Amino acid sequence: MTYAEAYRESLESPETFWGRAAEAIDWDKKWDLVLDRSNPPFYRWFRGGVLNTCYNAVDRHVERGRGDQDAIIYDSPVTNTIQKITFRETQNRVAKIAGMLVNLGVKKGDTVLIYMPMIPEAALSMLACARIGAVHSVVFGGFAPRELAVRIDDAKPDVILSASCGIEVKRVIPYKPLLDEAIEIAGHKPTKCVICQRPMSVADLKPGRDFDWEEKEAAAKPADCVKVQATDPLYILYTSGTTGKPKGVVRDNGGHAVALIWSMKHIYNIEPGDVYWAASDVGWVVGHSYIVYAPLFMGATTVLFEGKPVGTPDPGAFWRVISQHKVKALFTAPTAIRAIKREDPKGVFLKDYDLSNFETLFLAGERLDPDTYFWGTDLLKKPVIDHWWQTETAWAIAGNFRGLELFPIRPGSATMPMPGYNIKILDPVTAEELGPNQNGVITVKLPLPPANLPTLWNDDKRFEESYVNPFPGYYLTGDGGYIDEDGYVFVMGRIDDVINVAGHRLSTGGMEEVLARHPDVAECAVVGVADDLKGQVPVGFVVLKAGVTKPKEEIVDEVIKMVRNDIGAVASFKKTVVVDRLPKTRSGKVLRGTMRKIADNEAYSVPSTIDDPATLDEIGSALKTIGYAV
Ligand code: COA
Ligand code: AMP
């Protein structure tokens, strides 16, 4: 099948296309309807189908002779560990962890929160939840207690799985105090926490509430896979929206398994037995889809890497892992490649390693800038493929196809729409469909393909308001861009208050809510400005209340600390200026887009609706004091 045939069929007859793709999954009962269109915009895939996600990721491979093949290779330069876990061992441990959850009272449909560093138990516990039909909600370890508390309050888990610490390049981060503080702040109180003790920092356990993981797992009886409906939730993953309240993206079981296994072959060209590596974190969607579920659905080996592209110990770390474990495809974020380029511009470290098994470098999480694309291609002499997706979608919306048809690459473009995604560029004001090379809002005509979010957790209304109501009949991606005359998709950046910092999705609105809590701050704005390494970093602007006498520098230090404490170090919020006024329209809307352009030295026109054009000069002068707009 060519790409053109696949794409056409996926839009004209999604039932045929995805019904065929679903044959790659084992079902306890086949579906009644491939696509249930009865309640738009809430489309559901594989209605009536019954399966188990963990069975498809683990057990079936053991039953079919892959028991001795590695399922997970845990490679942790920060602890000097390499541990290989076969499919059989994975099955045994997952069944025991599932049994441990059952002993703690977890039942099908219950939520379980997972707050873990990149250790095997993180992936195993996700699979254990799937095994018993519990709904996991993984929270990225870099988030601060307040962010964790918001997620506890929304997901309402009775059980939390965590570890005593995470390990960053230069420091050990005890997780337990963060977890304790989050439970303290949260309104909902989980009653049981199971802590995986790591020797680098052993946690104190609260009697009655906290349990030692090793003891609980050892004492448990293995639990079997539980049958669930294709439309039952597999997990909730919170992601940044435009406000401080994150969106709980829901993933189903059936559509998720079908789309992910299709993507493994056709996008990444991965077959059973291959080694695949997504250098991300289980706390992000890339980690859910491509560290844990998709490679295992395929019967491939996945690498779980606890390290960084640089500093663990050097910029050759990625090339070392690829050569040592015979990795066929690596998926990471452009920022990781920029970090390597910065420390090893000539690629000297690559020369020590044999990359003969390596086929393709895949990048996503932010736009792949042409410089990084050319540097990576020249160095690796292999295809470097950009693909564009979101937490909401679980897999790529646009990309290239290593296992279907490799399109010539156009630097700066994510290439072609994936099957099932009817991408339309709309005029932001008139909602008319725009033609080739015209910049607009990127939308996808409904229905979305399998694995995409059916709704937000307990919030159908917010799902409709955020994604569907702005352009009825279309899913609003939140990104802007265009499609060229040959169908190549160019994603140019967010059109809302979401920013991407080192591939991490964050909300400037959420940061503004933190700044506004400072007692001396009257008004504030946060914008994402361009950064050579991280793609974007947030910059804060604060207007002080009248009569404040505290030195400005102290207030700046305080708000920077507040964001670090309330959101997390991962926000990379390090620059803030005090200004007399914010530039606004006459109706009072802060002109964040214009402020960003000033910081990035981009050309801008003074909006006709501006209240006082002099405020823009004031912003320019303030930015110069912190090294921007020069
Ligand atoms: N737990 C606790 N803290 C964490 C953390 C975690 N899981 N992850 C990051 N942090 C902290 C870091 O220690 C750092 O703290 P600091 O301000 O005290 O130095 C801060 O959050 C920012 O982290 P990071 O964004 O990772 O920046 P960095 O300067 O340490 O490293 C890169 C830069 C480019 C090497 C790194 O961002 C990277 O590897 N990015 C790839 C991102 C990625 O894979 N994204 C997933 C989408 S595919
Ligand atoms: P997340 O939900 O964390 O995966 O972030 C999704 C957002 O990251 C998208 O809406 C885009 O703004 C951005 N993004 C991800 N991949 C790409 C890409 N390949 N090109 C451009 N932007 C991207």
Side-chain angles (χ1 to χ4, degrees):
M1 201 180 227
T2 63
Y3 164 75
E5 286 162 354
Y7 189 62
R8 195 179 319 111
E9 186 184 56
S10 74
L11 298 191
E12 286 173 1
S13 179
E15 284 84 354
T16 314
F17 184 85
W18 293 113
R20 193 170 53 239
E23 301 295 338
I25 291 299
D26 278 50
W27 299 85
D28 292 299
K29 173 184 167 289
K30 284 272 166 77
W31 51 90
D32 303 320
L33 272 178
V34 174
L35 175 60
D36 178 356
R37 304 167 184 259
S38 62
N39 184 27
F42 302 98
Y43 296 90
R44 301 308 311 255
W45 288 94
F46 303 103
R47 171 81 71 200
V50 176
L51 78 164
N52 182 278
T53 287
C54 179
Y55 176 80
N56 276 281
V58 182
D59 302 62
R60 66 171 178 162
H61 303 306
V62 178
E63 288 170 14
R64 288 174 204 164
R66 293 193 175 276
D68 296 328
Q69 181 197 309
D70 292 334
I72 300 171
I73 299 176
Y74 168 53
D75 185 310
S76 168
V78 293
T79 60
N80 260 321
T81 312
I82 291 179
Q83 186 192 351
K84 298 183 172 183
I85 309 171
T86 64
F87 271 99
R88 184 171 294 104
E89 288 160 349
T90 302
Q91 183 186 33
N92 290 338
R93 279 209 70 190
V94 168
K96 293 274 275 182
I97 298 170
M100 166 177 106
L101 292 171
V102 171
N103 286 348
L104 293 168
V106 178
K107 300 180 302 300
K108 181 172 164 178
D110 289 349
T111 53
V112 174
L113 192 138
I114 300 173
Y115 183 60
M116 303 268 265
M118 284 288 286
I119 55 177
E121 283 75 9
L124 299 176
S125 56
M126 291 161 75
L127 293 163
C129 289
R131 192 171 189 85
I132 55 169
V135 183
H136 61 71
S137 184
V138 182
V139 178
F140 176 57
F143 278 127
R146 194 173 286 273
E147 288 289 316
L148 179 54
V150 172
R151 288 155 175 80
I152 291 173
D153 276 337
D154 199 70
K156 298 196 171 31
D158 189 40
V159 174
I160 294 189
L161 303 178
S162 189
S164 57
C165 64
I167 302 164
E168 283 296 287
V169 179
K170 293 198 190 88
R171 62 204 158 106
V172 170
I173 299 180
Y175 273 31
K176 186 60 189 350
L178 306 176
L179 177 61
D180 289 342
E181 194 184 330
I183 295 177
E184 188 67 36
I185 301 171
H188 172 84
K189 305 290 178 199
T191 63
K192 295 155 203 126
C193 300
V194 189
I195 310 296
C196 192
Q197 296 281 21
R198 306 183 77 187
M200 309 85 201
S201 168
V202 174
D204 291 334
L205 303 184
K206 275 201 173 113
R209 190 198 71 184
D210 299 340
F211 303 96
D212 178 80
W213 186 304
E214 213 178 306
E215 282 173 21
K216 280 276 162 199
E217 186 182 327
K221 281 209 306 276
D224 273 342
C225 294
V226 165
K227 292 177 186 175
V228 300
Q229 292 289 320
T231 47
D232 280 343
L234 169 66
Y235 69 76
I236 312 163
L237 178 56
Y238 289 90
T239 189
S240 301
T242 51
T243 67
K245 187 177 186 295
K247 295 167 165 171
V249 166
V250 176
R251 196 77 63 215
D252 65 11
N253 277 275
H256 175 250
V258 171
L260 258 50
I261 200 163
W262 187 93
S263 75
M264 228 36 215
K265 171 73 191 108
H266 297 92
I267 303 177
Y268 304 102
N269 197 29
I270 294 296
E271 308 269 2
D274 287 341
V275 182
Y276 179 83
W277 177 25
S280 177
D281 188 287
V282 285
W284 305 115
V285 67
V286 176
H288 281 62
S289 293
Y290 292 109
I291 295 175
V292 183
Y293 288 113
L296 298 181
F297 285 145
M298 183 48 94
T301 302
T302 184
V303 178
L304 188 111
F305 178 67
E306 189 181 31
K308 297 256 176 172
V310 293
T312 59
D314 57 43
F318 275 23
W319 320 138
R320 195 266 303 159
V321 173
I322 291 175
S323 98
Q324 188 166 351
H325 304 306
K326 299 192 167 40
V327 170
K328 186 172 175 190
L330 165 65
F331 177 173
T332 189
T335 188
I337 303 301
R338 287 197 297 272
I340 297 171
K341 177 180 161 207
R342 196 164 75 163
E343 289 205 6
D344 180 23
K346 295 203 160 59
V348 175
F349 282 84
L350 180 70
K351 297 192 172 59
D352 296 341
Y353 300 107
D354 169 16
L355 263 54
S356 51
N357 289 289
F358 186 57
E359 195 177 84
T360 321
L361 172 62
F362 290 91
L363 298 173
E366 53 174 325
R367 180 165 182 263
L368 172 56
D369 53 288
D371 276 358
T372 307
Y373 165 76
F374 285 118
W375 186 82
T377 311
D378 286 350
L379 181 72
L380 294 168
K381 314 263 179 303
K382 315 265 170 166
V384 174
I385 291 185
D386 184 16
H387 56 333
W388 164 56
W389 53 300
Q390 312 182 311
T391 305
E392 288 84 345
T393 66
W395 64 293
I397 312 169
N400 213 330
F401 303 87
R402 205 55 169 111
L404 179 66
E405 188 176 341
L406 190 65
F407 283 84
I409 289 167
R410 292 194 182 166
S413 167
T415 317
M416 293 292 148
M418 286 290 144
Y421 290 96
N422 192 0
I423 301 180
K424 300 285 180 198
I425 310 292
L426 302 187
D427 183 293
V429 180
T430 64
E432 270 167 50
E433 277 185 25
L434 297 176
N437 296 311
Q438 287 185 289
N439 232 313
V441 174
I442 316 182
T443 65
V444 182
K445 204 162 192 304
L446 295 173
L448 292 165
N452 278 253
L453 79 170
T455 188
L456 293 173
W457 184 247
N458 285 336
D459 208 345
D460 286 353
K461 188 161 164 269
R462 191 171 181 201
F463 170 81
E464 289 188 278
E465 283 170 0
S466 308
Y467 302 110
V468 187
N469 291 357
F471 300 99
Y474 300 83
Y475 164 79
L476 175 63
T477 63
D479 284 302
Y482 62 96
I483 299 181
D484 77 5
E485 59 287 355
D486 298 317
Y488 280 72
V489 180
F490 287 77
V491 182
M492 305 310 289
R494 297 287 303 193
I495 52 165
D496 55 14
D497 298 333
V498 167
I499 57 171
N500 260 353
V501 180
H504 310 314
R505 174 165 159 182
L506 297 159
S507 159
T508 54
M511 294 181 215
E512 289 176 3
E513 287 175 24
V514 176
L515 300 193
R517 283 204 286 270
H518 190 286
D520 296 331
V521 169
E523 269 197 294
C524 63
V526 174
V527 299
V529 306
D531 182 83
D532 283 349
L533 175 65
K534 299 195 175 186
Q536 277 184 308
V537 288
V539 169
F541 299 83
V542 292
V543 177
L544 302 183
K545 288 181 182 160
V548 170
T549 52
K550 196 186 256 186
K552 288 177 184 171
E553 301 71 39
E554 259 180 53
I555 297 175
V556 164
D557 284 351
E558 284 167 8
V559 296
I560 288 174
K561 276 202 197 91
M562 283 172 74
V563 174
R564 195 178 169 93
N565 288 343
D566 285 6
I567 294 180
V570 72
S572 296
F573 185 84
K574 300 199 166 151
K575 300 250 173 150
T576 290
V577 282
V578 175
V579 291
D580 290 337
R581 305 177 293 169
L582 294 173
K584 288 186 186 168
T585 61
R586 281 188 284 279
S587 61
K589 191 172 173 306
V590 177
L591 292 162
R592 293 182 181 79
T594 316
M595 291 163 74
R596 184 191 62 70
K597 285 188 178 153
I598 296 174
D600 290 347
N601 271 329
E602 270 180 37
Y604 66 92
S605 47
V606 178
S608 58
T609 52
I610 195 164
D611 185 39
D612 180 357
T615 49
L616 295 179
D617 299 331
E618 291 167 22
I619 289 293
S621 308
L623 280 165
K624 284 194 178 57
T625 66
I626 53 166
Y628 291 103
V630 285

